[in-house]
Amino acid sequence: MKTYGFYIDTVNCSGCKTCQVACQDKNDLEPGHLWRKIIDIEGGDWKNDNGVFSEYPFAYHVSLACNHCSDPLCVQSCPTQAMHVTDIGAVDIDQDKCIGCGYCTWACPYDAPKLDKRTGRMSKCDLCYDRITKNENPSCVDACPMRALDFGDIEVLKEKYGNTRSIFPLASPELTKPNIIIRPHKNSLKASVRNASIANREEL
Amino acid sequence: MTPSAKYADLVLPACTQFETWGVTDGWKYGEEVFLAPKIVDPPFETKSDYRICVDLSKKFGVYEQFTEGGRDEKDWVAWFVDEIYRKTRFPDMPPFRKFAASNAGVYTKPVYEPKIALEKFSQNPLEYPLNTPSGKIEIFSVELFKEGQADEIPPVAKYIREWDNPFDEKAEKYPLQAMGHHYNPRVHSTHDNNQWTMNGFPQRVFINPADASKRGINDGDMVRIWNERGAMILKSRITKRIMPGVIDIPQGAWYDPDEKGIDRGGNVNILTSEKWTPFAKGNAQHTIMVDIEKA
Amino acid sequence: MEKYNLALVVFTWLTQASVGLIILRAIYMRRSSAGDDKIYITGRYILLTAFILLVTGLLFSFAHLNYPRHAFNALNNIISSWMSREILAEIILLFILLAWYIINGFTIKKTPQIIMEILAGLSGVALIYLMVRTYMLPSLQGLNTPAFPLSFIITPLLSGSAIIYFFLRKSEPELAIKYKLFFAIIFLFSLINHLIFRAFHHTLGVFNIYSAFYLAALIISVPSLYSTLKNKNVMSDVIFLNLAIICDFLNRVYALTYTNPAL
């Protein structure tokens, strides 16, 4: 069986959020209900040398949906077994079982499952099931104007783009074995020593 | 309702650009033509701007002259492609009917060989002079010198201080420079009412941590931004991506005054000067000095 | 979980109060010098209180579900979900308490008492362990501190001893004093627990509502303990206990507010 995954190019991503809005459009999500979100990272600082400022700040963006992990903590934690792995290897929610307790969101290190306020149950990225079964890319991937997203069999992506599975501020891939390949931004390598933090918590 | 509609005595139901035909090119020097076909019919009673004018022209009795023989929007686009673009800047472009049928949307002028700027002039400046009074690249412009405003329109390229700047006495009262950058979720003021894009990029005033901590402002606090021209209250976003001494209020937000006349929508225009720029007679929208405080 | 869910705070707190009451009740049954009948009547009231606390807690837990119509599904995933196991333990304890209360109505014999005490005590401890496991997720860094399981031990003892103290204050003042002293010591632990939490979140120097309540409880504890040791019942008695319990409740609110999710 194929395992699908996303490729996220943080070098080319401009943080424009087209993928986020394309996802909301395709899945008819309300404003603020994000299956795909963009994390803005900023770090570094300004140096004030007698009124002359030198700039050392940096910023990069990480576009993140559900990583459809191979070892999903949400599936393990869900008390109802609503959270399950589908036949195409995607992690999905059975709406007939979900109680909307939100425990999956706590368990997920990527904050992927979101409460759908209209139904009172959890909801999340379903890999655009209807599109990928027609051999099309998920909406977010096709919408990206920077071509910073890619989608496909994780083994193929791995050969094409390498095998980096994490970047600041994402959790260690050991935790859930996420099916994502990341092209790390150069500043992400020194993010932890250069005072980096999430700059747009309000929008997540 | 848009702020301009609030000022209007009469509001006509105009449709969006997706409900009528249109065509544009990449500005004055662009190498592309973009076709904007009608995707859906105008809903309800809405009409395109052109259709509204056509209906008015009937009442004025100038229908034939205005429409030049009864052309509708699509006819005009076809005429423009076939008679203007194809006869001037884009001779190789397919005719309208073929272009529209192909659903390509964009025509790009093909490039057959690399272009070098001022190629002929650089090879033989005497035979191919430039379109300047001296025929050369002018470091000192006699034409600009003749304008007699060397202070504001210098004949040599040099730095000029803005009318509002951080270096004179006024800066003691309003120490921060404000700018209004083009913001991701909007095209100028279009889409300010689009919940999806605006939710991803909410209207915030961007402040450097150095300026914010001096004033006791935390991320997400409501702050008052004001100068002698106006005031607004907006939520803050503390970020290192803006330089110390500068704040940024993204342009294009809709004006939304409260009962005291303080703008809550974050429209940077209420802080800008109405003085025209000396040469282009444009609006000097980045020439703003302000101060901020926790609201 | 950036904004804490008050329903959940109340649920954990009431459930733990119930477990604490069961455990401290066993000590009371042995230490009391009152007559057998008197002991068993008080014991039965304490049991009823524990049962009511547990049921109320369970009702509060429903309030945090966004789709309670499916609530019965919550037991589906005993195999891997700590939350399912927690709910199962909660229900088992509920039935043990109910059975115990009914048995107690028929007999005051010691044998079934000890069996039920052990059964309820073990399932209570198991419940608290499962609760800790439910919340100590690798993705919630704010709760992955030793302070967190500690607070789940402090709360049962604190609220349990307070309730028993109120039961005994009039009838058995000498034993009540011991419970109150025990309460005061546990309150000190609660304070230390809160400080550890704050140290983890680098908010030790911040003065806020939590600090205000802890400070007030600490100040009022002095006259309260003094008057208790002198065997006098004054108002500061009630104020101290209530304040201390509010502090512990706020400590739970604080813990679940600053969960620091991985993202």
mmCIF file of all heavy atoms in Angstrom, chain B residues 203-218:
data_model
loop_
_atom_site.group_PDB
_atom_site.id
_atom_site.type_symbol
_atom_site.label_atom_id
_atom_site.label_comp_id
_atom_site.label_asym_id
_atom_site.label_seq_id
_atom_site.Cartn_x
_atom_site.Cartn_y
_atom_site.Cartn_z
ATOM 1 N N GLN B 203 -5.843 42.892 10.035
ATOM 2 C CA GLN B 203 -5.291 44.248 10.001
ATOM 3 C C GLN B 203 -4.673 44.579 11.351
ATOM 4 O O GLN B 203 -5.372 44.650 12.365
ATOM 5 C CB GLN B 203 -6.406 45.241 9.654
ATOM 6 C CG GLN B 203 -5.974 46.684 9.606
ATOM 7 C CD GLN B 203 -5.157 47.020 8.358
ATOM 8 O OE1 GLN B 203 -4.970 46.172 7.492
ATOM 9 N NE2 GLN B 203 -4.666 48.222 8.273
ATOM 10 N N ARG B 204 -3.369 44.736 11.381
ATOM 11 C CA ARG B 204 -2.645 45.014 12.627
ATOM 12 C C ARG B 204 -1.633 46.112 12.381
ATOM 13 O O ARG B 204 -1.183 46.311 11.260
ATOM 14 C CB ARG B 204 -1.888 43.761 13.096
ATOM 15 C CG ARG B 204 -2.763 42.569 13.436
ATOM 16 C CD ARG B 204 -3.512 42.782 14.729
ATOM 17 N NE ARG B 204 -4.422 41.682 15.012
ATOM 18 C CZ ARG B 204 -5.728 41.707 14.758
ATOM 19 N NH1 ARG B 204 -6.274 42.763 14.215
ATOM 20 N NH2 ARG B 204 -6.492 40.684 15.049
ATOM 21 N N VAL B 205 -1.241 46.808 13.459
ATOM 22 C CA VAL B 205 -0.124 47.739 13.335
ATOM 23 C C VAL B 205 1.133 46.993 13.779
ATOM 24 O O VAL B 205 1.191 46.443 14.876
ATOM 25 C CB VAL B 205 -0.359 49.044 14.125
ATOM 26 C CG1 VAL B 205 -0.762 48.777 15.566
ATOM 27 C CG2 VAL B 205 0.886 49.915 14.110
ATOM 28 N N PHE B 206 2.117 46.941 12.888
ATOM 29 C CA PHE B 206 3.344 46.200 13.161
ATOM 30 C C PHE B 206 4.337 47.122 13.875
ATOM 31 O O PHE B 206 4.639 48.209 13.388
ATOM 32 C CB PHE B 206 3.945 45.669 11.863
ATOM 33 C CG PHE B 206 3.063 44.667 11.181
ATOM 34 C CD1 PHE B 206 2.099 45.063 10.264
ATOM 35 C CD2 PHE B 206 3.184 43.325 11.487
ATOM 36 C CE1 PHE B 206 1.273 44.123 9.652
ATOM 37 C CE2 PHE B 206 2.369 42.387 10.875
ATOM 38 C CZ PHE B 206 1.405 42.789 9.962
ATOM 39 N N ILE B 207 4.802 46.680 15.042
ATOM 40 C CA ILE B 207 5.687 47.499 15.871
ATOM 41 C C ILE B 207 6.903 46.670 16.259
ATOM 42 O O ILE B 207 6.769 45.489 16.607
ATOM 43 C CB ILE B 207 4.972 47.970 17.162
ATOM 44 C CG1 ILE B 207 3.594 48.535 16.844
ATOM 45 C CG2 ILE B 207 5.804 49.000 17.895
ATOM 46 C CD1 ILE B 207 2.735 48.764 18.062
ATOM 47 N N ASN B 208 8.066 47.275 16.213
ATOM 48 C CA ASN B 208 9.271 46.590 16.665
ATOM 49 C C ASN B 208 9.248 46.452 18.194
ATOM 50 O O ASN B 208 8.783 47.352 18.890
ATOM 51 C CB ASN B 208 10.501 47.385 16.226
ATOM 52 C CG ASN B 208 11.789 46.645 16.523
ATOM 53 O OD1 ASN B 208 12.267 46.631 17.651
ATOM 54 N ND2 ASN B 208 12.339 46.008 15.508
ATOM 55 N N PRO B 209 9.774 45.329 18.724
ATOM 56 C CA PRO B 209 9.767 45.143 20.187
ATOM 57 C C PRO B 209 10.426 46.300 20.931
ATOM 58 O O PRO B 209 10.000 46.650 22.043
ATOM 59 C CB PRO B 209 10.564 43.851 20.388
ATOM 60 C CG PRO B 209 10.573 43.162 19.080
ATOM 61 C CD PRO B 209 10.302 44.165 18.008
ATOM 62 N N ALA B 210 11.450 46.921 20.326
ATOM 63 C CA ALA B 210 12.142 48.025 21.008
ATOM 64 C C ALA B 210 11.196 49.202 21.239
ATOM 65 O O ALA B 210 11.159 49.775 22.335
ATOM 66 C CB ALA B 210 13.343 48.477 20.180
ATOM 67 N N ASP B 211 10.411 49.554 20.216
ATOM 68 C CA ASP B 211 9.469 50.670 20.362
ATOM 69 C C ASP B 211 8.305 50.292 21.267
ATOM 70 O O ASP B 211 7.779 51.127 22.003
ATOM 71 C CB ASP B 211 8.927 51.082 18.989
ATOM 72 C CG ASP B 211 10.034 51.575 18.081
ATOM 73 O OD1 ASP B 211 10.914 52.278 18.583
ATOM 74 O OD2 ASP B 211 10.006 51.229 16.891
ATOM 75 N N ALA B 212 7.900 49.030 21.182
ATOM 76 C CA ALA B 212 6.744 48.584 21.965
ATOM 77 C C ALA B 212 7.064 48.567 23.452
ATOM 78 O O ALA B 212 6.283 49.045 24.270
ATOM 79 C CB ALA B 212 6.300 47.210 21.493
ATOM 80 N N SER B 213 8.238 48.032 23.809
ATOM 81 C CA SER B 213 8.556 47.905 25.235
ATOM 82 C C SER B 213 8.729 49.291 25.864
ATOM 83 O O SER B 213 8.410 49.490 27.022
ATOM 84 C CB SER B 213 9.814 47.056 25.429
ATOM 85 O OG SER B 213 10.915 47.687 24.818
ATOM 86 N N LYS B 214 9.243 50.255 25.075
ATOM 87 C CA LYS B 214 9.389 51.623 25.580
ATOM 88 C C LYS B 214 8.035 52.193 25.997
ATOM 89 O O LYS B 214 7.939 53.017 26.888
ATOM 90 C CB LYS B 214 9.975 52.499 24.468
ATOM 91 C CG LYS B 214 11.226 53.261 24.864
ATOM 92 C CD LYS B 214 11.710 54.123 23.706
ATOM 93 C CE LYS B 214 12.641 53.367 22.776
ATOM 94 N NZ LYS B 214 12.997 54.143 21.571
ATOM 95 N N ARG B 215 6.971 51.769 25.316
ATOM 96 C CA ARG B 215 5.636 52.313 25.579
ATOM 97 C C ARG B 215 4.753 51.339 26.353
ATOM 98 O O ARG B 215 3.556 51.565 26.502
ATOM 99 C CB ARG B 215 4.976 52.652 24.242
ATOM 100 C CG ARG B 215 5.653 53.799 23.523
ATOM 101 C CD ARG B 215 5.225 53.872 22.076
ATOM 102 N NE ARG B 215 5.771 55.038 21.420
ATOM 103 C CZ ARG B 215 7.015 55.134 20.951
ATOM 104 N NH1 ARG B 215 7.845 54.116 21.076
ATOM 105 N NH2 ARG B 215 7.437 56.228 20.364
ATOM 106 N N GLY B 216 5.346 50.248 26.786
ATOM 107 C CA GLY B 216 4.581 49.262 27.567
ATOM 108 C C GLY B 216 3.510 48.563 26.778
ATOM 109 O O GLY B 216 2.458 48.196 27.305
ATOM 110 N N ILE B 217 3.750 48.366 25.470
ATOM 111 C CA ILE B 217 2.747 47.711 24.624
ATOM 112 C C ILE B 217 3.105 46.237 24.468
ATOM 113 O O ILE B 217 4.252 45.904 24.175
ATOM 114 C CB ILE B 217 2.688 48.384 23.228
ATOM 115 C CG1 ILE B 217 2.269 49.848 23.374
ATOM 116 C CG2 ILE B 217 1.737 47.642 22.308
ATOM 117 C CD1 ILE B 217 2.475 50.664 22.128
ATOM 118 N N ASN B 218 2.136 45.379 24.692
ATOM 119 C CA ASN B 218 2.334 43.947 24.490
ATOM 120 C C ASN B 218 1.667 43.515 23.201
ATOM 121 O O ASN B 218 0.773 44.199 22.696
ATOM 122 C CB ASN B 218 1.741 43.149 25.653
ATOM 123 C CG ASN B 218 2.493 43.393 26.931
ATOM 124 O OD1 ASN B 218 3.732 43.430 26.941
ATOM 125 N ND2 ASN B 218 1.755 43.594 28.009
#
